Amino acid sequence: MNSVPNLVGKSAEELRAFVEGMGEPGYRAAQIYHAIYAERRFDFSAMTSLPAALRERLAREATIALPRILRRHHSSDGTVRYVLALDEGKPANLETVFMPEENRQTICISTQAGCAVDCRFCLTATLGLIRNLSAAEIVGQVLVALENNREALKPQTNIVLMGQGEPLLNYDAVMAALRILLDQKAVGIAPRHAALSTSGIIPGIERLAHEKVRPNLAISLNASSSEQRDQVMPINRKYPLKKLLEACRKYPLKPREWLLFEYVLLAGFNDSIDDARRVVQLLANLRAKVNLIPWNPGDLPHKRPDRNHVEEFQRVLLEKGVPCFIRDSRGQDVMAACGQLALSEAAASSAVHASS
Ligand code: SAH
Ligand code: SF4
């Protein structure tokens, strides 16, 4: 096992302390910070802004360790689902999804291996919580996905914390990673191009409200009443809908910021016109947008509503002035869509085994 420190996941201040501990001037830390995160130089020998002697010393006394690509599953729509191996701490595999679009790419990252929240419609829940990811592993997913698509990158990168795990139950590592991802001197993703989705962990929402730099907040609503939510999201018993919406009302939105509410449509359960009307009432007095996500199939007892029905639901919200979008998840053929991340190899027929 490698006992030298991994520099991935370290903040500018942590790098400075490390470099000073080596007896080197502190400004070298800013050069290393930029080289790893902004230039994606993962080999000290490629950090040409540093003197040769320091590069050699760093190669002996530190490492740049990223999650390893175990498999890549390519969807017919261009989406790539990565299965990554983590060697730090307790071994775990995890998933990251890369979605190319015309002028940008969106990277969906995981914040935990598995998830303890146990939503009834989500395949990740069937894994249980394997472990929290470190800041290095969260940042590492973005670096690996960008680097693996280096030739095809578009100018804009969006990140969504919507992969495996509940981000607000791994708060410190998630925020440490976000500070690096959203720092214009580091990975450089614009905060408005980042979104964190939560099942509704109220203390986490309250903490996030006080962060200077933070992503957009998305809340998984998924039901039109507290009783209904209890049935599919057991977390609702701990953090009930009424209190959750109160926390949302208190959340200090910036001038052009909106809250996003995700609503997974489960046919015959939460997708009636009455449900849509109740959602409108729940979101009254909130600067909120709604994303409707027709349920993505997995080995669970739910049904996906048909398209007409989804559009009818959407119409009710739009008529009442609630901005509402239908999100057809990408990468369904390779189990890369929302709620399908459970390390499935069922769709592996189109898998390309990574050479590294
Ligand atoms: N744990 C966080 C983020 C990951 S899940 C959360 O729950 O918010 C990202 C989104 O996918 C959530 O809104 C969740 O409700 C939704 N989702 C889960 N399973 C799904 C499925 N099978 N089909 C469609 N969306 C699903
Ligand atoms: Fe966890 Fe989110 Fe899946 Fe719920 S929907 S089990 S919180 S990953």
Side-chain angles (χ1 to χ4, degrees):
M1 225 180 97
N2 208 337
S3 57
V4 295
N6 182 11
L7 301 192
V8 178
K10 286 205 189 301
S11 65
E13 298 73 44
E14 287 166 339
L15 279 179
R16 176 175 264 271
F18 174 73
V19 164
E20 285 176 351
M22 293 172 79
E24 295 285 338
Y27 69 85
R28 293 288 179 213
Q31 292 174 311
I32 299 171
Y33 187 72
H34 194 265
I36 297 177
Y37 299 127
E39 299 169 27
R40 294 196 303 281
R41 293 180 197 255
F42 302 145
D43 197 327
F44 293 113
S45 64
M47 296 187 183
T48 45
S49 55
L50 304 177
L54 177 56
R55 282 184 256 156
E56 281 162 27
R57 217 181 137 196
L58 283 168
R60 286 192 305 273
E61 297 179 25
T63 179
I64 299 174
L66 295 164
R68 271 182 304 119
I69 300 175
L70 278 187
R71 277 181 290 285
R72 287 176 294 193
H73 301 284
H74 289 261
S75 160
S76 55
D77 68 14
T79 298
V80 186
R81 175 167 68 97
Y82 291 91
V83 180
L84 303 177
L86 304 173
D87 298 325
E88 279 182 19
K90 181 174 164 192
N93 290 352
L94 69 106
E95 293 167 301
T96 304
V97 181
F98 182 87
M99 292 167 275
E101 288 161 78
E102 205 175 322
N103 296 314
R104 62 174 186 205
Q105 46 275 332
T106 298
I107 304 174
C108 175
I109 56 180
S110 296
T111 54
Q112 299 179 310
C115 183
V117 176
D118 208 20
C119 305
R120 301 285 186 249
F121 42 79
C122 172
L123 273 186
T124 306
T126 62
L127 298 172
L129 177 65
I130 301 166
R131 70 165 169 85
N132 277 332
L133 301 188
S134 65
E137 292 165 337
I138 298 169
V139 173
Q141 293 172 64
V142 176
L143 295 178
V144 165
L146 288 174
E147 193 54 21
N148 199 248
N149 294 277
R150 183 183 267 275
E151 306 305 322
L153 289 183
K154 305 288 162 37
Q156 183 182 319
T157 299
N158 291 18
I159 51 164
V160 292
L161 280 65
M162 297 186 185
Q164 287 188 18
E166 167 47 61
L168 297 183
L169 291 180
N170 184 17
Y171 192 93
D172 292 333
V174 164
M175 268 322 295
L178 281 170
R179 286 189 197 106
I180 296 167
L181 292 167
L182 306 184
D183 180 355
Q184 300 315 296
K185 292 200 208 78
V187 184
I189 292 159
R192 67 180 184 286
H193 294 152
L196 178 156
S197 173
T198 178
S199 57
I201 309 298
I202 295 174
I205 295 172
E206 290 169 346
R207 276 182 84 182
L208 196 64
H210 295 109
E211 298 287 350
K212 223 169 44 226
V213 176
R214 53 171 160 76
N216 291 312
L217 178 60
I219 317 267
S220 297
L221 180 64
N222 296 343
S224 68
S225 72
S226 205
E227 298 69 37
Q228 197 183 52
R229 202 165 186 263
D230 274 345
Q231 291 176 50
V232 283
M233 296 183 74
I235 193 79
N236 192 60
R237 299 204 185 103
K238 186 156 185 198
Y239 301 118
L241 187 55
K242 188 158 172 279
K243 293 227 164 88
L244 174 60
L245 293 172
E246 271 167 28
C248 290
R249 289 204 171 82
K250 285 199 200 118
Y251 194 77
L253 290 171
K254 295 177 184 147
R256 270 186 294 277
E257 205 181 354
W258 294 69
L259 287 173
L260 179 70
F261 286 86
E262 295 148 294
Y263 194 95
V264 180
L265 285 161
L266 305 166
F269 177 75
N270 65 357
D271 66 337
S272 73
I273 296 305
D274 280 345
D275 285 306
R277 293 196 183 111
R278 279 193 291 270
V279 168
V280 171
Q281 283 166 5
L282 289 176
L283 302 184
N285 307 321
L286 274 165
R287 206 193 301 159
K289 295 183 188 180
V290 174
N291 272 357
L292 300 176
I293 319 175
W295 182 68
N296 295 311
D299 192 12
L300 294 169
H302 293 286
K303 281 210 295 287
R304 188 180 168 89
D306 63 40
R307 184 75 194 186
N308 288 344
H309 201 76
V310 175
E311 286 172 6
E312 255 176 72
F313 194 105
Q314 180 191 32
R315 214 168 302 128
V316 174
L317 273 76
L318 290 177
E319 276 167 9
K320 298 288 182 195
V322 180
C324 178
F325 307 86
I326 300 172
R327 290 286 176 235
D328 287 307
S329 307
R330 298 183 54 178
Q332 289 185 40
D333 52 341
V334 292
M335 298 300 279
C338 302
Q340 293 187 319
L341 297 184
L343 297 164
S344 164
E345 299 303 316
S349 54
S350 55
V352 174
H353 288 266
S355 51
S356 58

